[in-house]
Amino acid sequence: MSGITTGDGDAASLVLEGARLPGAAEPSTIVVIGGVIASVDGEPPSDAVAPQRVDLAGRTVIPGLWDTHVHAEQWAVARRRLDLRGAASARDAADLVAAAAVALGPGEALIGVGMRDALWPDAPDKDLLEAVAPGRVVAIQGNDLHTAWLSPAALVRVGAGDHETGVLKERACYQAMGALQEHDEDAIDGWVTEALTAAAARGVTGLIDFEMGDCLPAWQRRAERGRLDVRIECTVYREHLRAAIARGMPSGTIVHATSGMVAVGPLKLFVDGSLNSRTALCHEPYPEVAGDDGAHGLLETPPDLLQELMREAAAHRIDSAVHAIGDRATALALDAFEAVGTAGRIEHAQLIARDDVPRFARPGLVVGVQPAHLVDDRDVADRHWLGRTDRTFPFADLLAAGATIEFGSDAPVAPLDPWVAISAAVTRTGDDRAPWHPEQRIGVADALAASSRGRTRLTAADPADLVVLDHDPLDLEGSQLTDPGVVGTLCAGRWTHRTF
């Protein structure tokens, strides 16, 4: 397991009695010493420091869960923003903006999140925001983070006052939202800490942070300020690759003075955009995009440059995580991994050509998927990927081909909640509709493994990252999987959440 260390290295011990393992008929006793599982069905050694005994009374214990794709600062901020996920049109969104603006002080910016305009009957436009919030800085971020809708005042603030519509995509979106959401360091660290504690309450013991830029210094600072409730792997974007190389820390390196909770992650690269923005790169054109320019989506990084960057990173033992959503993008990402021969990840892989599915089984390659997206995007995919949805989010096919899959949320695109992902992967629905392409459903055991970076059982010498549940997930069905009753979370042998 990349980037994992144990606790503080002391001899303090914890004995979990009456712990039921998934599917087991009889309870077990789990012994934790110094942040590590010492034994399952054993007792602490005689020289262990005063064991603390906790009776779980038959509750189920599973390995700690990971969210392997999070934008931590954006998620922490989004928890405090105007939620527009329920808006069914640009007019609806504008009405919500108008209502929220009433409560703001003069000159205070209004930031909204969760815009889903791919199915709206009307188009977002800067003039509509100006009409409901005259002169105010308003910025609404798309649910996929690849689109932003700005008011005239917001456009002026980011130096794009002459933009025709106020709808920015891809790099222009990222730059604008970054400029409009600068926060005091103390405030953002406090918000992130609160978000991690909330994640621990859902059984999360680790995450990969894909926050744009170079997020390692921020996590070093947060670790110095206090204990982190979740393990962190830090990605770095291409603009900061040289700085990452200069640090001399390969992927998986545990960062000094972070109590073993922060590790170096991969280099993040983009092949394409997203489905909701119609910028995911596909072999076939989007039916509603006119002309050849952009009809197939956006090529963000040409193949030669992609491979050059991956080679440079690999020469310094830094893995690559390549964003690819459309089927043409996933093919280019696979080509790059095969050409460079490095380990790493392909992120999202939402639409995959059938002949490319077996290629994901190459050693050292992980495909990071976000099952909640299939629930959120099914209607958009039915419209914009018409006739191709049988190979969209093909989790069962990937597992059958021998691919290694890991689940994430892409928070704030979807909530940072692994049980939402598990339920979506198992049921292929998030409402009362029939499963969407049920042939791609996977079993609960496979979904749990994908949510715990492959840990399928509790084993001596593993880190004591554990989740205590009121219910055995293997006994749950359908929507029950979204709430198995998380009553305790241990990270490195320390309680980060406990309600029983």
Side-chain angles (χ1 to χ4, degrees), residues 126 150 152 154-164 168:
K126 63 183 181 181
L150 273 60
L155 290 167
V156 170
R157 182 170 293 186
V158 301
D162 58 350
H163 195 277
E164 184 177 355
L168 309 181

Side-chain angles (χ1 to χ4, degrees), residues 78 80-87 96 111-115 143:
R80 288 166 167 75
R81 295 309 192 193
L82 175 63
D83 187 350
L84 295 166
R85 285 176 293 179
L96 291 170
I111 309 295
V113 296
M115 177 178 74
N143 194 64

Side-chain angles (χ1 to χ4, degrees), residues 262-318:
V262 178
V264 177
L267 166 69
K268 175 65 181 296
L269 298 167
F270 288 85
V271 176
D272 65 347
S274 71
L275 167 58
N276 279 275
S277 297
R278 277 81 76 202
T279 52
L281 188 64
C282 301
H283 291 298
E284 299 174 55
Y286 289 91
E288 298 180 15
V289 178
D292 293 332
D293 186 21
H296 291 263
L298 173 71
L299 176 61
E300 180 73 24
T301 308
D304 290 348
L305 178 57
L306 177 67
Q307 294 179 26
E308 177 185 334
L309 291 166
M310 291 172 66
R311 282 196 179 92
E312 184 177 6
H316 298 275
R317 293 183 293 159
I318 297 175

Side-chain angles (χ1 to χ4, degrees), residues 166-181:
V167 178
L168 309 181
K169 295 190 176 184
E170 303 306 333
R171 286 190 178 273
C173 161
Y174 309 149
Q175 292 168 356
M177 294 307 297
L180 292 171
Q181 297 191 92

Side-chain angles (χ1 to χ4, degrees), residues 105-119:
E108 186 176 351
L110 192 160
I111 309 295
V113 296
M115 177 178 74
R116 303 174 186 270
D117 63 316
L119 296 175

Side-chain angles (χ1 to χ4, degrees), residues 392-406:
T392 304
F393 301 97
F395 302 151
D397 286 350
L398 286 167
L399 286 179
T404 299
I405 67 173
E406 293 182 354

